[in-house]
Amino acid sequence: MLIYDTRYRSITIQVVVLVLFLLFLSWLVNNTIANLALKDRTFDFAFLFARSGYDINQTLVDYTNDSSHLRAAYIGLLNTLLSALIGCALATVLGVTVGVLRLSRNWLISRLMTVYVEIFRNVPVLLWILLGAAILSEATPAPADYRVTEAMQAAGEAPKASMVLFDSVAITTRGINIPAPMVEHGLPRLELPGISLNSNLLVFFLVLGAGLYADHRIRAHARRVQEATGLRPVTWWKSLAVIFVPTIGLLMLMGFHLDYPVLKKFNFTGGIEVLHSFTALTFALAVYTAAFIAEIVRAGILAISRGQSEAAFALGLRPGRTMSLVILPQALRVIIPPLISQYLNLTKNTSLAIAVSYMDLRGTLGGVTLNQTGKELECMLLMMGIYLTISLTISSLMNLFNRAVKLKER
Amino acid sequence: MGEFTPFVRTEMLAPQAPPVSQRGAIRWLRENLFSGPLNTVLTLLGLAALLWVVSHLGPWLLHSVWNANSLTECREIIAATWGEGASGACWAMVRDRWHQYLFGFYPSPLYWRPTLAFALLFVAIAPVLYSQLPRKLLLLTAVYPALTFWLLWGGSIWVPVVAMMGFGVFAVVFRLAQPRFGVPVSAGLGAVATSLWWMFAQAPVAAVLQSIAPVTLTSVDSDQFGGFLLSVVIGVTAISASLPMGILLALGRKSDMLLVRTLSVGFIEFIRGVPLITLLFTASLLLQYFLPPGSDFDIILRVIILVTFFAAAYIAEVIRGGLAALPRGQYEAADALGLDYWQAQRLIIMPQALKISIPGIVSSFIGLFKDTTLVAFVGLNDPLKGITQIVRADINWKGIYWEPYLFAGSIFFLICFGMSRYSMWLERKLKTDHR
Amino acid sequence: MAEHAIDRSKMKVSDEVAIQITNMNKWYGQFHVLRDVNMTVQKGERIVICGPSGSGKSTLIRCINRLEEHQSGQILVDGTELTNDLKNIDKVRSEVGMVFQHFNLFPHLTILENCTLAPIWVRKVPKKEAEETAMHFLSKVKIPDQAHKYPGQLSGGQQQRVAIARSLCMKPRIMLFDEPTSALDPEMIKEVLDTMISLAEEGMTMLCVTHEMGFAQAVANRVIFMDKGQIVEQNEPRAFFNNPQSERTKLFLSQILGH
Amino acid sequence: MAEHAIDRSKMKVSDEVAIQITNMNKWYGQFHVLRDVNMTVQKGERIVICGPSGSGKSTLIRCINRLEEHQSGQILVDGTELTNDLKNIDKVRSEVGMVFQHFNLFPHLTILENCTLAPIWVRKVPKKEAEETAMHFLSKVKIPDQAHKYPGQLSGGQQQRVAIARSLCMKPRIMLFDEPTSALDPEMIKEVLDTMISLAEEGMTMLCVTHEMGFAQAVANRVIFMDKGQIVEQNEPRAFFNNPQSERTKLFLSQILGH
Amino acid sequence: GTLDDVKARGQLICGTNVGLTGFGAPDANGNYQGFDVALCKAVAAAVLGDASKVKFVPTTGETRFTALASGEVDVLIRNSTWTFSRDVDLKFDFVAVNYYDGQGFMVKKDLGVSSAKELDGATICIQTGTTTELNLADFFKANNMTYTPVTIADDAEGQRQYLAGACDAYTTDASGLAASRATMPDADNHIILPEIISKEPLGPLVRHGDNQWGDVIRWTYYALVAAEEYGVTSANIEEMANTTQNPEIKRLLGVEGDLGAMLGLDKDWGKRAIAASGNYGEIFEANIGSATPIKLARGLNALWTQGGLQYAPPFR
Ligand SMILES: Nc1ncnc2c1ncn2[C@@H]1O[C@H](COP(=O)(O)OP(=O)(O)OP(=O)(O)O)[C@@H](O)[C@H]1O
Ligand SMILES: Nc1ncnc2c1ncn2[C@@H]1O[C@H](COP(=O)(O)OP(=O)(O)OP(=O)(O)O)[C@@H](O)[C@H]1O
Ligand SMILES: [Mg+2]
Ligand SMILES: [Mg+2]
């Protein structure tokens, strides 16, 4: 019998599995075709190019209700990515802080951080999103509260609410209005086939990049000096200079100014409005994920045995140097893989935007578009494909990293 | 040679108490709260934060109202007792609707059934977790799924019993075939026999048995499930069903057969790569395309199946970690003793790998349990959003906001926190177990 | 060890005091772990500390380079008193090398980087020079060829020798060893002891917690026996082993040499 | 070992062939690890295999119960040829016991369960009977009182003896030992060697990879020296140690006996 | 067809709303109540003879049409707007209009707005997944105005956001606005703007192609409307059946003719449907009428005889 021969056994099994798998696949496809026929539906993506007809309140690139459903999906994807990106950044900062503070010798602080971690970890993230949205809209003043009427002026009354940060930021029930950076003598848009680029931004980043590169060179030089003489020259002011002087110069040249939000009839206009739905979603995800990251960071630091820091101390290294030269490089290896899977989770959790009706990918492609066109099969498959692509990209980056930093052992 | 005097201690020194600066509350304060400028600042900041929270939440909680029939009444009572403009919590809502948070629309005279099922859950998992308990109890664990199904959904007892017989059929076929054909083939035969049983024998046999010995409970439709009952049903079913599936996936992923490995990896990565919510939408929107025309089954069941897939992918990864932690020597020793692959897995590898994986499995379970709230988005009445939405649609409670969320949130917290502490305890217990 | 003819003539003890401990006490919480320890170490002395487990040997050693803080009494290392003054601590630590039982090499750095890290960042030695020094000491411990490997790739004995080389690269005047061979397989112990012997022959001041009595007899010029946090007996090795005075010491020696 | 008077008279070698290896070759990828190995083992023979690290001793042993697959040549164990046929492999494995360097006991099972597992599941022996056999062999290795403990609670030497008992419970005709004492502390080595000697005295066919030359001299009736994947020399122990023929063997023996 | 399935099952499965006060929401005991729910019950009474033999399946704006298309529910009575594309492209049949609605705006009085045309630049709360989204876009486009949408998931959330000031105006079907306004603590401070920017005929829908089942729903509904027109109520229905001389009423109540058999039902179907929760007017008054906290006026939904649009074709 082939099944008893180690050489053929696995091949036999695999052939059987393959046949079963193919049967299963064809069963699925067959059913789908039959169901589509039964419902008198087609499977095509033409609807993506039809007019969408709905508006979206946060659009990072141009969009009107005349744009196509595809464009709407793209807007949603950008919104998803924006929330994920900012969420990850915030979660990292918060999580690392909390994780380190949890190890603090300060009794009160370490207890408070434990409470934070436990509370956030053990309650569904959906609740944090909902509460975040509620707090933001309940605890903020309406735009009308900023209004100064003539009667009030006459009576010398102050409005109920006023802008913060030198009258530049207005926090209302709808969102947070912050000044927008503008340039006076802007460069024309760069029209390339297919895409149009904001050349102001382009130039800005080019100059900034050049500054960073120069800074990198300065540090490299400092390292060489240190290697040669043992003494490291002081470089921080040079770094500051090469990074900031050219960029600030460029901004002044272009006539940089801020466009402050102003109260119009109903709303603040001008500036950039950060919607509460975005803030609630992003912050809730960030504080929730931060609780997990805090645990990861704590475990990572604890995983580095006390012996390592003792050895460093015994060699005469100061605590700060010990941290940066000995503990952190090792802890990072332990921390980064689970950290990245937290990033993955956060990114996937942005799909809970549905709870606060933030128009992310699920809100546009998987929400309104699906609803208006009734193309559930196409929309859902497309959406899964996009999420899968994002996830696989992140995790393959993680694998690369893991391979790069793996400890060499016998 | 050196100048030292040989030295012999004639009497030993007794231990002394540490100097005063090393003792007492002051030392504790100094060391734990004010040991340096940074720590002092942190302490003060922490105190300020604490104060802020208490001063904001305190009055609201203090002004709680427990007895009222509507939000308006609550507001009137608060205004009357604490003065106009005072804010307070209206827990009267919880008093009025707690049963829906716990049981959804389950008929109230039958509340004993889910309650009993829930209590039995602990009896059923106890023998799995405590190896000291009599092994006989495992029998209860085995029949628990059928029993619970019957308790929760009601109807004829024979339906779940005959369904469980399917597993019996599997066992019999497997036993008979295994010596001759080996594990994989006989498992396949068993699966085929079981499916045949379920497809063709289930209904008639159950009907016959029912006519012989009618044992029936009032049947309850699954659309009446809601609240924590729904969460627990989805969570427990999914986790227990996902465990065997996760084990198979993990073994598949470690298999040296390329095709099996690829399929396992593909499945795991696909499921882990998409948000749960899209899987839930698949359950509610897409399954109708993938199943044969005309087949339509319960949305709760569909959700459970997809949540099971989701949990299985995560558990497979957890178990893979456990497997990786086992030294190669264990496999070799099993081989050298002449155990075959499945015997080695069952007797040597899995017991150890699962033990290592317990913390990971429990945290997957906690995550899964929390994620059951997402079923609200496919129209099921989860405790957090679904039931709250219903309550807020009631004309009496229209406008209530914080209380339902806080209520549901704290129950979630209690359960999840309890589970995580329990798993820590278990981990510690199992670790010392052998030394 | 005996096979190796040790040249005791080179091991000179000078009159200068390297370490001076007076009436030192230490508590862990309520537990009085070091009780009224008095000890003077001359430059060039090789001291072996032994005693039952938990008697405070490690704690004593670790107090000397302030890995632990003592609560009363005085520790002077090369004339510098160990107080809370960070400057003093830094000074002492850069003069005192320490070798741990579990090596504590930095696994993310190569052997060479392990050895040059402290000289570069603490002593501010140019990298090139630090590497030369490192290679010198690595040759001395007979593993120059492993310089570009990572600690995980070496055997235990090799790792411990790297740890010794790493300490030596800081050119310390005093070396502390805390049971440097007890985590090693028997074959590897010899490698490490040989290294330590050659260090002793060069006149390094050494304090060594160890139960390798062969080593103690071969190189130590003094053996200190501790129990319950106090020094119970100290003597030069021959007298110590052949003619212990205290009952406690006799009991201990009978156990340790018996097996 | 010499202290123990070994009764060589009981160790009879029969004429039947237990293991027959002909022209066996094995590669790991491109690496030719076993080169044209030919070997015949009679029933009752006690063979010690030695050689430098990496010479393929473990691989040879592991090929005999098919933990590794050979690529050419033939291995006959008790007349059964090791091929890809699973049935043959199962048969051979249940007749050949193996003891590993790192014991590989199952930590989640008690000692008794470790010993009864394979008899119950592979030999389909009733549990009671399996337990009796297990207790018998545990008494033989002198640890019947540990039967209900877990492996983690035993010392290394005890664990290795359990590993031997576990193999014996399958009543194998041939025992393979892969450096059974090299992971042990010196004190524990003796316990295990004693157990092995008593096995030898009962006439068990044994192949043992070891560097315990005392053991080889005491019980082996043949010593095989391997280098670079090939058998370089084989002889009866006295001749092997006193009068090695090959240069390679001489060099090896000088190293191993020297230290 | 579906009718046979329902009869065989002995239960009607009705897709409904769980969070719309007055139209469909379960109460503290888990019993569904509301205007749409009453129609479900009437159908169950007509088909199965028992108004309680109905199972309500909660649907969301996103899942409702799939639930119907996949056969998960027999009929969807969930304030869904009858539009061309839903009827034609999504392959459903809207069988009648049980509520004529239109999309309106609610604003706070102190906003100083009296017409929707003054809302240029305003922030507007809107439920996602409904036709209102498209109407709103069309309306502002047509009037050359701009707005910022704040999308929300359900009515309760919309009301909260609006009250919290997260939007200047709340737009949804006028009935919903009225219901929301009625339950606000300071109802006088909110006004519903006069413009109705869309037609929102809400009605029950069934799957395309199952005409018999469509007829059952359609005529059950018309039976309720006709009953109101002829003064048949749940209170006097028995009496009417026995005493009436009006042949139309006789046919409606199954005393004469055999309309039921044509539908595939028995002849008392109409009587049972009306008896279940009363005629159209009674249902309206009990769930959303002026006596309830929602206080909707009949308006367009008055009978044609009273200047409204509710008009039942003749029963003959
Ligand atoms: N951080 C600590 N906190 C509390 N007690 C401690 C701490 N470190 C050590 N001890 C206790 O102090 C005593 C002395 O410890 P020390 O490590 O110095 O002993 P030792 O002589 O080195 O023993 P060994 O030979 O086992 O290494 C022991 O009883 C130990 O339990
Ligand atoms: N799985 C493997 N893949 C590739 N090479 C291997 C593998 N196992 C062993 N080798 C190589 O095969 C050679 C022989 O290995 P083996 O373990 O048989 O040596 P040994 O004589 O037992 O050595 P030691 O005394 O160190 O145990 C070694 O060079 C080893 O590196
Ligand atoms: Mg110690
Ligand atoms: Mg080997």
Side-chain angles (χ1 to χ4, degrees), chain C residues 53-59 62 101 178-179 209:
Chain C
S53 182
S55 56
K57 308 177 297 291
S58 298
T59 312
R62 292 158 58 86
Q101 180 181 7
D178 191 359
E179 309 204 23
V209 176

Side-chain angles (χ1 to χ4, degrees), chain A residues 1 3-4 9-11 13-15 17-19 21 27-28 31-36 38-39 41 101-102 104-109 112 114-115 118-128 130-131 133-136 138 288 292 295 341 344-345 347-349 351-352 354-355 362 366 370 374-378 380-381 383-385 387-389 391-392 395, chain B residues 28 31-35 38-40 42-47 49-50 178-185 256-260 263 269-279 281-282 285-294 310 314 341-342 366-367 369-371 373-374 376-377 382 384-385 401-402 405-406 408-410 412-414 416-417 420-421 424:
Chain A
M1 280 268 291
I3 195 92
Y4 289 124
R9 187 185 173 82
S10 80
I11 295 175
I13 294 178
Q14 295 194 57
V15 167
V17 169
L18 182 66
V19 168
F21 179 68
W27 182 73
L28 283 188
N31 284 341
T32 310
I33 293 171
N35 277 313
L36 283 171
L38 205 70
K39 297 195 166 83
R41 296 270 179 88
L101 285 183
R102 239 195 121 173
S104 151
R105 281 205 310 233
N106 187 317
W107 183 88
L108 181 73
I109 293 295
L112 281 180
T114 311
V115 169
E118 291 299 349
I119 287 190
F120 277 90
R121 268 204 315 183
N122 287 314
V123 172
V125 60
L126 185 58
L127 180 75
W128 298 122
L130 291 170
L131 284 186
I135 291 175
L136 280 174
E138 296 287 340
Y288 177 78
F292 290 88
E295 281 304 276
S341 68
L344 259 171
N345 283 348
T347 308
K348 286 192 289 169
N349 277 338
S351 59
L352 297 183
I354 184 175
R362 207 222 59 88
L370 185 151
K375 294 278 189 187
E376 51 232 337
L377 193 59
E378 292 88 341
M380 292 304 292
L381 290 182
M383 201 167 86
M384 284 189 176
Y387 276 116
L388 202 59
T389 314
S391 298
L392 291 184
S395 56
Chain B
W28 186 89
E31 254 184 25
N32 289 306
L33 295 182
F34 304 102
S35 63
L38 180 67
N39 256 331
T40 312
L42 282 179
T43 305
L44 294 179
L45 278 180
L47 282 176
L50 213 58
Q178 199 233 344
R180 203 161 317 151
F181 303 110
V183 171
V185 176
D256 39 17
M257 291 181 249
L258 180 70
L259 187 69
V260 175
L263 287 180
E269 292 304 329
F270 171 73
I271 297 280
R272 281 161 44 93
V274 299
L276 175 57
I277 196 166
T278 61
L279 292 180
F281 276 109
T282 304
L285 301 180
L286 295 197
L287 237 41
Q288 50 154 337
Y289 287 100
F290 298 144
L291 296 179
F310 184 74
Y314 277 82
Y341 178 80
W342 294 102
I366 295 177
F369 185 64
K370 285 188 294 176
D371 282 347
T373 50
L374 306 192
F377 297 119
D382 85 298
L384 193 62
K385 196 161 186 292
Y401 202 79
W402 308 99
Y405 286 138
L406 281 185
S410 6
F412 267 110
F413 177 79
L414 285 181
C416 296
F417 185 69
S420 76
R421 287 293 120 150
M424 282 179 174

Side-chain angles (χ1 to χ4, degrees), chain C residues 15-199:
Chain C
D15 279 353
E16 282 171 74
V17 172
I19 303 173
Q20 168 97 48
I21 301 179
T22 9
N23 296 335
M24 192 259 274
N25 280 280
K26 167 158 184 63
W27 287 262
Y28 280 126
Q30 288 295 312
F31 177 56
H32 197 173
V33 55
L34 289 179
R35 307 179 193 170
D36 206 24
V37 174
N38 283 287
M39 183 167 133
T40 313
V41 181
Q42 249 70 321
K43 286 227 169 97
E45 272 202 291
R46 285 116 14 230
I47 298 180
V48 161
I49 304 176
C50 62
S53 182
S55 56
K57 308 177 297 291
S58 298
T59 312
L60 174 62
I61 286 269
R62 292 158 58 86
C63 279
I64 293 176
N65 70 349
R66 195 72 172 188
L67 287 180
E68 304 283 351
E69 196 176 313
H70 59 281
Q71 277 102 19
S72 82
Q74 202 188 30
I75 304 181
L76 281 171
V77 179
D78 241 358
T80 314
E81 183 177 355
L82 279 172
T83 57
N84 282 318
D85 189 332
L86 276 181
K87 287 242 171 82
N88 283 357
I89 296 178
D90 282 347
K91 189 152 165 247
V92 166
R93 281 187 180 160
S94 64
E95 281 181 9
V96 177
M98 175 138 183
V99 176
F100 298 85
Q101 180 181 7
H102 291 286
F103 335 140
N104 294 342
L105 295 182
F106 305 132
H108 61 300
L109 302 178
T110 63
I111 301 307
L112 192 62
E113 286 164 350
N114 261 283
C115 292
T116 56
L117 185 81
I120 290 178
W121 291 97
V122 180
R123 286 241 190 274
K124 319 271 183 210
V125 173
K127 188 171 174 196
K128 194 119 183 258
E129 200 182 315
E131 285 182 350
E132 278 162 15
T133 322
M135 287 312 295
H136 168 237
F137 285 110
L138 285 175
S139 318
K140 201 148 159 186
V141 299
K142 307 216 179 62
I143 35 173
D145 44 327
Q146 313 285 355
H148 295 283
K149 290 197 181 162
Y150 284 87
Q153 296 168 302
L154 303 190
S155 74
Q158 289 173 325
Q159 290 193 35
Q160 191 61 296
R161 283 185 282 160
V162 172
I164 295 175
R166 181 176 69 175
S167 293
L168 291 177
C169 285
M170 285 293 285
K171 306 217 168 122
R173 310 221 197 142
I174 303 167
M175 287 285 282
L176 310 175
F177 294 86
D178 191 359
E179 309 204 23
T181 57
S182 69
L184 297 178
D185 298 343
E187 322 143 53
M188 298 175 175
I189 292 180
K190 193 170 169 298
E191 300 171 353
V192 174
L193 289 184
D194 282 348
T195 309
M196 288 168 65
I197 290 172
S198 77
L199 260 186

Side-chain angles (χ1 to χ4, degrees), chain A residues 261-279:
Chain A
V262 213
L263 186 61
K264 287 284 169 55
K265 185 168 177 208
F266 297 107
N267 276 324
F268 279 92
T269 53
I272 298 174
E273 182 175 25
V274 185
L275 294 175
H276 279 335
S277 56
F278 168 79
T279 318

Side-chain angles (χ1 to χ4, degrees), chain B residues 6-149:
Chain B
F7 166 90
V8 179
R9 188 174 290 283
T10 43
E11 60 191 294
M12 296 294 278
L13 297 170
Q16 290 168 358
V20 192
S21 61
Q22 299 292 310
R23 280 179 294 177
I26 297 183
R27 165 165 177 266
W28 186 89
L29 278 181
R30 214 190 56 206
E31 254 184 25
N32 289 306
L33 295 182
F34 304 102
S35 63
L38 180 67
N39 256 331
T40 312
V41 170
L42 282 179
T43 305
L44 294 179
L45 278 180
L47 282 176
L50 213 58
L51 209 71
W52 186 85
V53 169
V54 169
S55 68
H56 279 74
L57 265 184
W60 188 72
L61 286 176
L62 263 174
H63 302 172
S64 297
V65 175
W66 285 93
N67 265 317
N69 290 318
S70 69
L71 184 62
T72 334
E73 211 174 294
C74 262
R75 286 181 180 146
E76 280 162 8
I77 295 176
I78 293 167
T81 347
W82 305 98
E84 206 61 51
S87 69
C90 183
W91 300 114
M93 183 281 304
V94 173
R95 219 183 135 90
D96 189 40
R97 293 298 190 107
W98 65 270
H99 55 278
Q100 285 187 344
Y101 276 96
L102 296 190
F103 299 105
F105 302 140
Y106 209 85
S108 52
L110 304 181
Y111 281 169
W112 63 272
R113 278 164 42 183
T115 316
L116 179 64
F118 188 63
L120 282 179
L121 174 65
F122 292 96
V123 185
I125 55 175
V128 181
L129 297 177
Y130 304 92
S131 38
Q132 296 95 324
L133 287 173
R135 298 286 86 191
K136 290 253 169 55
L137 274 177
L138 277 176
L139 215 63
L140 176 70
T141 314
V143 301
Y144 180 77
L147 187 63
T148 309
F149 178 86

Side-chain angles (χ1 to χ4, degrees), chain D residues 51-170:
Chain D
S53 181
S55 55
K57 308 178 295 293
S58 299
T59 311
L60 175 61
I61 287 270
R62 292 158 58 87
C63 279
I64 293 176
N65 71 347
R66 194 74 173 190
L67 287 180
E68 305 284 352
E69 196 177 315
H70 59 281
Q71 277 101 17
S72 82
Q74 201 187 31
I75 305 182
L76 281 171
V77 179
D78 240 358
T80 313
E81 183 177 355
L82 279 172
T83 58
N84 284 312
D85 190 329
L86 273 181
K87 289 237 170 91
N88 284 355
I89 296 177
D90 283 347
K91 190 153 164 242
V92 166
R93 281 187 182 158
S94 63
E95 283 180 10
V96 177
M98 174 135 183
V99 176
F100 298 87
Q101 179 180 9
H102 290 286
F103 336 140
N104 294 342
L105 294 183
F106 305 130
H108 62 301
L109 303 177
T110 63
I111 301 307
L112 191 61
E113 287 165 348
N114 262 284
C115 292
T116 56
L117 186 84
I120 291 178
W121 290 94
V122 180
R123 286 240 189 277
K124 319 273 182 210
V125 174
K127 189 167 174 205
K128 194 112 186 269
E129 198 183 315
E131 285 181 352
E132 278 162 15
T133 322
M135 287 313 295
H136 168 238
F137 286 111
L138 285 176
S139 318
K140 200 146 157 187
V141 300
K142 308 216 180 61
I143 36 173
D145 44 325
Q146 314 285 354
H148 295 284
K149 291 197 180 160
Y150 284 91
Q153 297 167 303
L154 304 191
S155 74
Q158 288 173 326
Q159 290 194 34
Q160 191 60 297
R161 282 185 283 158
V162 172
I164 295 175
R166 181 175 69 177
S167 293
L168 292 178
C169 284
M170 286 291 284

